[in-house]
């Protein structure tokens, strides 16, 4: 798959400078990092700022960058979607990975999920609701996210669809993942073709892994 | 607006408003800390004073901590016999009301719900009865104690004639998240601007960045409170210096290519909470691809 984001910090720095002059890209050992003051923008004015660090995975854009709030402004608690190390849970990662690969640039990530997350944090800080809602924590939130991505609510159906999407090629005579007993060609062929354009097999595999992991965590907690 | 007027406006926007909510809340929290310490050590209370940027006049609104001293008399044993015992006693006392996060020589106070108050308490013990020099416990590093003097530090900064540049450069350092300790950075600015004290703000800032870029090895300032005893070189290493150089170089390039607003951004007008809320709602309303935060129960 084509890598579209340069992993050279100098090139990355140039990309950031126009909109994010306070962010700087650099290497720390083998890690490629972006660090600095991140502005929350409304039209062209800055409403607020957060000190952040972003680690760009070597497999970017096939992996979601990790983000930390490093100014110790956001309480590191579940309800603020922040881990104890300042790690920010912007969204269920596969929601980002389900975007077309050419749209998954670092700038788009900063302007989208990162900006939204920190804007929402300003609401939370003032005791207001998250303006676009929030996912439930853990397994339930993952199910919610994948239901949104696939348009399927039943967990079993959802997993069947994801399993199917892990294949590079899907045959029309296979059983439809909706559980109707029909073959795909006579059932959800249109829907499946549409999903294939958005969800790559690698994303489907990661999604299944995430569902399994969160399911076991939820089970572990319940036990 | 010319560059110097712009820089002065940036500075004004970075002052804590004297009648603002933020300062009121901060003072209320400070009073609470003070009363906790006074109550715990009522028989021989410590000296509680502002230290850090608030005392030195170098505070920038975007990133500040209110440092409060908790200095005990030289022969007081109310908080312990040794500096380490004083350190532990103060932690214990404050832990009843706060989550205490020990730093190198200060204790950061966080609420039980993880809200950070911007207040750090610095425990210590006066060296003698003149109550001027003080020993601070060192929580990490090779030294166990550090001799310092708050009054000397405050005077040194205030009399430097470069306080506005210190504040602007602190804002620059905060926005770029450069890992140099605040008090060392302030001393470095004074050191590098020694021959530029009468220059304009613009000239001073450019002189600072150019000197950093042009000097291959770290320039380690002296600690005016203890020039022989406190070697600050471990706080300004080759790695940190190189980081300062890279960011300084980028900054000079940004000024050349895009002007000063690329460095400090547009001047941020003071705002009321109502205005702030309104702007937040406006920003949320124009989001075309909303995302929803999640939390993995790791």
């Amino acid at each position: 798959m084509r890598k579209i984001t340069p992993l050279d910090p100098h090139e990355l720095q140039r990309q950031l400078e126009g909109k994010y002059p306070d962010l700087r890209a650099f290497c720390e050992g083998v890690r490629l990092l972006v660090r600095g003051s991140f502005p929350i923008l409304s039209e062209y004015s800055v409403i607020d700022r957060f000190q952040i660090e972003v680690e760009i995975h070597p497999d970017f854009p096939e992996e979601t960058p990790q983000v930390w709030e490093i100014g110790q402004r956001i309480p590191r608690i579940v309800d603020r979607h922040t881990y104890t190390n300042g790690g920010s849970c912007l969204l269920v990662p596969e929601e980002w990975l389900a975007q077309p690969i050419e749209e998954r640039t670092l700038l788009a990530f900063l302007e989208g999920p990162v900006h939204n997350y920190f804007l929402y944090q300003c609401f939370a800080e003032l005791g207001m609701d998250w303006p676009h809602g929030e996912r439930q924590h853990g397994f339930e939130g993952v199910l919610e996210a994948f239901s949104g991505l696939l348009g399927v609510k039943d967990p079993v159906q959802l997993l069947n669809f994801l399993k199917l999407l892990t294949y590079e090629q899907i045959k029309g005579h296979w059983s439809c993942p909706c559980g109707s007993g029909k073959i795909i060609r006579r059932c959800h062929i249109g829907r499946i073709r549409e999903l294939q354009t958005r969800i790559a097999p690698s994303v489907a595999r990661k999604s299944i892994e995430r569902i399994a992991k969160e399911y076991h965590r939820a089970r572990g907690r319940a036990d | 607006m010319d560059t110097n007027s712009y820089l002065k406006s940036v500075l004004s926007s970075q002052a804590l408003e004297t009648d603002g909510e933020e300062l009121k809340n901060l003072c209320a929290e400070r009073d609470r800390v003070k009363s906790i310490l006074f109550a715990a050590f009522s028989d021989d209370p410590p000296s509680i004073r502002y230290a850090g940027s608030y005392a030195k006049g170098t505070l920038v609104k975007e990133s500040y901590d209110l440092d409060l001293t908790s200095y005990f008399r030289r022969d007081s044993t109310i908080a312990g016999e040794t500096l380490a015992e004083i350190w532990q006693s103060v932690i214990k006392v404050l832990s009843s009301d706060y989550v205490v996060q020990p730093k190198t020589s200060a204790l950061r106070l966080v609420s039980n719900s993880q809200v950070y108050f911007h207040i750090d308490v610095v425990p210590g013990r006066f060296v003698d009865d003149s109550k001027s020099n003080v020993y601070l416990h060192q929580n990490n590093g090779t030294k166990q104690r550090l001799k310092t003097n708050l009054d000397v530090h405050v005077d040194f900064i205030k009399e430097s004639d470069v306080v506005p540049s210190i504040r602007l450069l602190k804002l620059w350092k905060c926005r770029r998240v450069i890992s140099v300790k605040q008090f060392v950075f302030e001393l470095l600015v004074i050191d590098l601007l020694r021959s530029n004290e009468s220059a304009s703000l613009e000239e001073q800032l450019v002189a600072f960045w150019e000197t950093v870029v042009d000097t291959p090895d770290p320039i380690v300032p002296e600690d005016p409170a203890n020039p022989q005893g406190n070697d600050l070189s471990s706080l300004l290493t080759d790695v940190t210096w190189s980081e300062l150089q890279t960011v300084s170089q980028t900054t000079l390039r940004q000024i050349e290519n895009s002007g000063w607003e690329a460095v400090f951004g547009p001047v941020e007008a003071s705002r009321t909470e109502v205005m702030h809320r309104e702007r937040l709602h406006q920003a949320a309303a124009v989001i075309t691809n909303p995302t929803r935060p999640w939390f993995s129960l790791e």
Side-chain angles (χ1 to χ4, degrees):
Chain A
M1 198 173 278
R2 186 168 60 99
K3 295 268 167 77
I4 52 165
T5 296
L7 293 177
D8 168 29
H10 301 292
E11 174 52 28
L12 205 51
Q13 182 70 53
R14 270 189 286 276
Q15 286 183 20
L16 293 171
E17 263 178 34
K19 188 158 184 184
Y20 300 109
D22 296 320
L23 294 183
R24 57 197 174 94
F26 61 100
C27 286
E28 201 171 79
V30 293
R31 301 167 76 207
L32 176 57
L33 300 172
V34 170
R35 191 184 288 161
S37 169
F38 183 80
I40 307 301
L41 302 163
S42 170
E43 293 184 11
Y44 297 105
S45 60
V46 178
I47 311 177
D48 214 327
R49 290 176 179 274
F50 288 84
Q51 289 189 330
I52 68 163
E53 182 171 287
V54 182
E55 181 172 357
I56 296 136
H57 195 280
D59 289 335
F60 182 83
E62 288 179 57
E63 290 287 347
T64 315
Q66 276 186 283
V67 180
W68 292 266
E69 192 268 325
I70 55 174
Q72 224 189 346
R73 171 167 162 186
I74 301 174
R76 294 169 177 191
I77 51 173
V78 180
D79 288 346
R80 292 293 286 272
H81 302 275
T82 306
Y83 300 112
T84 49
N85 66 356
S88 309
C89 204
L90 314 180
L91 73 177
V92 175
E94 287 72 25
E95 289 184 277
W96 166 254
L97 296 175
Q99 313 272 336
I101 192 161
E102 52 294 345
E103 290 175 20
R104 268 183 266 151
T105 63
L106 185 65
L107 267 186
F109 186 70
L110 293 172
E111 287 165 354
V114 176
H115 182 266
N116 295 352
Y117 175 85
F118 287 107
L119 171 65
Y120 301 163
Q121 290 292 347
C122 298
F123 279 78
E125 204 169 63
L126 293 171
M128 298 191 282
D129 289 337
W130 301 83
H132 295 114
E134 54 187 320
R135 294 270 177 239
Q136 293 184 67
H137 306 315
F139 181 59
E140 281 78 15
V142 171
L143 282 186
E144 263 175 33
F146 290 120
S147 302
L149 281 176
L150 273 66
V152 177
K153 283 191 178 160
D154 176 63
V156 177
Q157 266 192 40
L158 195 144
L159 269 174
N160 288 341
F161 270 93
L162 281 173
K163 272 184 203 161
L164 189 72
L165 290 167
T166 63
Y167 293 101
E168 296 289 342
Q169 284 197 324
I170 294 170
K171 307 282 185 191
H173 64 272
W174 292 354
S175 295
C176 190
C178 72
S180 65
K182 293 181 191 168
I183 60 171
I184 290 174
R185 194 179 297 125
R186 296 204 179 124
C187 200
H188 279 93
I189 183 72
R191 171 133 195 81
I192 288 164
R193 292 278 178 250
E194 187 269 324
L195 286 174
Q196 272 188 303
T197 62
R198 290 192 290 121
I199 298 170
S202 60
V203 176
R205 277 191 286 274
K206 279 182 195 138
S207 305
I208 292 171
E209 279 168 29
R210 183 159 321 270
I211 289 173
K213 214 188 307 180
E214 292 300 330
Y215 174 73
H216 288 299
R217 277 179 189 148
R219 284 277 309 265
R221 283 183 170 241
D223 292 346
Chain B
M1 195 189 298
D2 65 34
T3 303
N4 282 304
S5 308
Y6 161 75
L7 293 173
K8 281 177 189 161
S9 307
V10 172
L11 273 180
S12 306
S13 71
Q14 286 298 326
L16 265 188
E17 285 150 26
T18 44
D19 54 349
E21 273 303 299
E22 203 168 345
L23 194 58
K24 274 185 206 160
N25 293 338
L26 199 61
C27 290
E29 207 58 52
R30 173 209 58 191
D31 291 344
R32 197 169 151 227
V33 173
K34 209 169 167 177
S35 62
I36 292 168
L37 290 170
F38 275 172
F41 304 112
S42 57
D43 290 343
D44 198 353
S47 158
I48 296 179
R49 287 175 57 192
Y50 286 121
S53 60
Y54 192 82
K56 291 184 268 188
T58 58
L59 184 145
V60 286
K61 194 164 71 174
E62 210 162 296
S63 169
Y64 66 90
D65 298 318
L66 190 63
D67 290 347
L68 284 180
T69 68
S70 177
Y71 294 164
F72 292 88
R73 279 190 310 108
R74 180 183 61 92
D75 52 359
S76 167
T77 54
I78 192 160
E81 299 278 344
T82 65
L83 280 171
E85 284 173 9
I86 291 176
W87 174 263
Q88 288 303 334
S89 297
V90 176
I91 291 180
K92 196 175 165 195
V93 164
L94 293 171
S95 294
S96 58
D97 290 70
Y98 299 97
V99 174
V100 181
Q101 298 177 348
K103 295 163 66 183
T104 306
S105 48
L107 303 169
R108 174 153 290 183
L109 303 185
V110 177
S111 78
N112 289 326
S113 54
Q114 290 287 308
V115 174
Y116 171 46
F117 296 114
H118 296 278
I119 293 180
D120 288 349
V121 174
V122 187
R125 164 181 274 162
F126 287 112
V127 171
D128 50 37
D129 293 337
S130 67
K131 294 191 174 181
S132 183
N133 287 320
V134 70
Y135 286 124
L136 304 180
H137 173 69
Q138 294 294 276
N139 188 42
N140 48 43
T142 50
K143 280 188 163 187
Q144 291 187 324
R145 70 178 191 185
L146 177 94
K147 189 178 167 191
T148 190
N149 186 316
L150 176 60
D151 295 323
V152 171
H153 269 235
V154 170
D155 292 345
F156 187 76
I157 302 286
K158 282 191 167 170
E159 289 163 13
S160 70
D161 286 336
V162 292
V163 169
S165 283
I166 292 177
R167 291 185 63 220
L168 280 169
L169 286 164
K170 277 177 72 173
L171 179 63
W172 168 78
K173 176 175 111 60
C174 148
R175 294 244 176 110
R176 267 72 175 174
V177 193
I178 303 170
S179 50
V180 184
K181 282 220 174 253
Q182 214 68 278
F183 93 98
V184 179
F185 187 71
E186 291 177 353
L187 297 176
L188 178 70
V189 175
I190 293 173
D191 219 17
L192 298 195
L193 296 184
R194 211 171 286 283
S195 56
N196 290 285
E197 283 164 348
S198 53
S200 68
L201 270 178
E202 178 184 5
E203 289 164 338
Q204 285 185 352
L205 300 190
V206 171
F208 175 85
W209 290 316
E210 283 179 345
T211 313
V212 170
V213 170
D214 294 341
T215 313
D217 296 318
I219 298 171
V220 181
E222 254 183 13
D223 182 349
N226 189 3
Q228 270 77 50
N230 285 352
D231 177 11
L232 304 179
S233 57
S234 63
L235 300 174
L236 210 54
T237 60
D238 288 349
V239 176
T240 326
W241 189 253
S242 157
E243 185 184 1
L244 257 180
Q245 284 186 305
T246 311
V247 186
S248 298
Q249 200 156 28
T250 309
T251 303
L252 289 168
R253 185 164 45 80
Q254 286 174 331
I255 294 169
E256 201 178 315
N257 294 343
S258 317
W260 281 86
E261 275 212 12
V263 183
F264 293 109
V267 178
E268 290 164 27
S270 64
R271 64 189 187 199
T272 63
E273 193 179 312
V274 175
M275 280 159 66
H276 185 53
R277 281 172 189 257
E278 211 169 278
R279 289 173 74 196
L280 289 176
H281 282 295
Q282 282 167 1
V286 296
I287 290 176
T288 47
N289 285 317
T291 43
R292 289 179 185 177
W294 172 65
F295 193 89
S296 170
L297 299 170
E298 288 171 355

